[in-house]
Amino acid sequence: MRELEKKESAMKYKLIYTSLVLFVYILGRCIPLYGIDIAAYSSDWIDAENMLLRSVGGDAYRISVFAIGLSPCITSSILIQIIMAFRNSFTNTKISPGKISRVTVVLTLIIAFLQAVVRISELNFLKTENGFFIVKIIAAMEMVTGVMVILWLSDRNAKYGIGGRTMLIVVNILDGLVSTISVHRLQNLIVPFIVSAVLVIIVMVLENTEKHIPVQRISIHNIYADKNYMAIKLNPVGVMPVMFSAALFMLPQMLVSLLGYLYPENPDIIWWQVNLSLRRPLGIAIYVIGIYALTVLFSVAFISPKDITEQFLKSGDSIVDIHAGHDTRKYLREGVFRISVFSATIMSICVGTPMVLQLRGNIESTLMMLPSSIMMLAGLWCNIYRETITIRNYDSYRALF
């Protein structure tokens, strides 16, 4: 009887745990950095880049202890996955998850430190008895500590709650949407909302459409033998590349800002500071290319033709009319690549369309990221909904005895 009650309460416990994680996260975003001049950031004006960075950071003006947000965690994950994808292509030796986790944490700390240094140089501080240098050191330490707290919260939520790390991003996006919509008139929101509706429909279709590859299972010898297949979504990695590209886009911005701080009079650096923006064609092109590349890379990495082929060889299963081994791997590699290119093209067009409309003057620059944010929110809710259904189905099971 106790086991049955515990199973029936799984959803409740996960919801309570996620609620506590979100409470701590939201509370941290409300704690300002030491010595910060809050009055200098009291304006409600939020531009397109702040809207984008808010999806991975959460703090509108990036002046809280969680100012850097999830971007170091996401960026380090991208770099580690890219390195591992290339490494697995040339060797069969495995690296333990513990070692990968430790390297990721160290890389996260390094990126967090660099972003804290850049961010500190852009903030306004009050005059204190300790002097600006000490105040900035304390604020930078708070930022780095905040990143590690966020990383811990996201890991704990992934283990005991619902939504994992994406739940924090959902909160950031919702907060950004409410803040952005509330400061604009309805007539200015008509075009962004129409574009958003189209993007949501496209994402929903991609998220819920699959390519079925017929598979012959040696362990099935009944009427269902001809109905086995391997399913691959038309959008294999969802909207994750859109979020990751936001964090990745901050890397060149961070480097240019750091160089601008060191060499403020250099005309080349000033040119890059001006043009490496989502309000400029160069910045838009870099951001969209990043989405395209990450979509292809993550699709090929997550749906690994090499691993699937090896599993088929071990189990004795095979793709219908395809020889095992090299032919299967080649078939899967070509198929996954075509799907990833299709998905990358659609996602790049979806994200790039509002930006082009902004350049043409059809959408205000402060509303440029609104359609993309709504699109990301729809994609994330699809994943959270599937996880919730799985937990609910688990709770619905009843013991036989």
Side-chain angles (χ1 to χ4, degrees), residues 286-306:
I286 293 175
Y287 180 60
V288 173
I289 291 173
I291 293 175
Y292 194 97
L294 288 177
T295 302
V296 174
L297 178 65
F298 286 165
S299 298
V300 175
F302 290 168
I303 310 174
S304 174
K306 177 183 176 182

Side-chain angles (χ1 to χ4, degrees), residues 216-228 315-317:
Q216 183 176 351
R217 306 285 184 182
I218 62 174
S219 59
I220 301 179
H221 305 282
N222 51 34
I223 60 174
Y224 300 103
D226 297 331
K227 299 181 180 180
N228 288 279
S315 64
D317 300 334

Side-chain angles (χ1 to χ4, degrees), residues 349-370:
I349 293 174
C350 289
V351 174
T353 298
M355 297 182 176
V356 173
L357 292 176
Q358 178 262 156
L359 290 176
R360 293 169 55 89
N362 301 111
I363 295 180
E364 292 186 14
S365 60
T366 54
L367 294 171
M368 178 180 62
M369 295 307 301
L370 183 65

Side-chain angles (χ1 to χ4, degrees), residues 245-256:
S245 182
L248 198 61
F249 184 75
M250 295 176 64
L251 280 180
Q253 280 192 327
M254 179 184 68
L255 294 175
V256 171

